[in-house]
Amino acid sequence: MSVLRLASTDDLDRLVSLCERFHAGEGIEQDDATRRAALYPLLEGSPHGAIWLIGPRSAPVGYIAVSFGWSIEMGGLDAMVDEFFVRDKVRGRGMGGEALSALARALSEQGVTALHLEVATDNAPAKRLYGRLGFAAREQYHLMTRLL
């Protein structure tokens, strides 16, 4: 059994529950209708992104949401991990790292040239995990955002 599988519209309720837990832990305030409206197109096959569930089909323990873009600098199609969540009770068992590694391989096989993610500057465990998986800070760059 693979630790990672592409989510579909049949997974919406499970995914909303996982997403709500992630948002609560991160201090993200979002109502259920907005959350569902943001998730559903990705589950329907939107070309803008996709979501993978982590763990058993009947009881997933997390998810990885990815959005796709294009980078001249990176040589083509790139991807950004938008959200990556594993339930607290199963963290530290290797499932998240295994899932992220499997995702990177699968995306590479589909022509994605780079996978980006954000990590809080004070989240040392996540930074160690990402470093072990080959992610590196681009010290000369700082992500900036403008909400529209």
Side-chain angles (χ1 to χ4, degrees):
M1 175 184 80
S2 173
V3 70
L4 191 67
R5 72 172 177 86
L6 189 61
S8 71
T9 55
D10 293 339
D11 298 305
L12 181 61
D13 290 334
R14 286 187 182 110
L15 188 56
V16 166
S17 176
L18 290 168
C19 188
E20 186 174 19
R21 289 181 187 192
F22 172 70
H23 288 178
E26 294 294 314
I28 298 170
E29 293 185 25
Q30 189 176 67
D31 63 66
D32 192 55
T34 302
R35 189 175 291 119
R36 286 177 177 275
L39 293 168
Y40 197 78
L42 299 178
L43 301 175
E44 278 191 313
S46 167
H48 301 293
I51 303 172
W52 287 263
L53 290 171
I54 302 168
R57 181 174 289 280
S58 60
V61 299
Y63 68 97
I64 304 174
V66 172
S67 60
F68 299 112
W70 192 265
S71 171
I72 296 168
E73 178 185 357
M74 299 294 160
L77 186 63
D78 66 351
M80 176 75 166
V81 174
D82 181 53
E83 294 189 1
F84 179 26
F85 173 73
V86 175
R87 289 185 187 180
D88 290 339
K89 291 183 181 181
V90 296
R91 285 188 192 155
R93 298 182 188 178
M95 289 180 80
E98 185 180 338
L100 194 53
S101 291
L103 177 63
R105 284 190 303 275
L107 292 175
S108 176
E109 290 169 3
Q110 295 302 312
V112 175
T113 61
L115 180 59
H116 314 281
L117 54 74
E118 289 181 282
V119 60
T121 56
D122 63 349
N123 190 341
K127 289 167 92 172
R128 282 191 302 274
L129 169 65
Y130 300 148
R132 283 195 309 269
L133 296 175
F135 289 87
R138 299 181 71 205
E139 298 297 336
Q140 69 274 30
Y141 296 96
H142 180 85
L143 179 66
M144 298 175 71
T145 303
R146 176 181 170 183
L147 298 178
L148 304 177

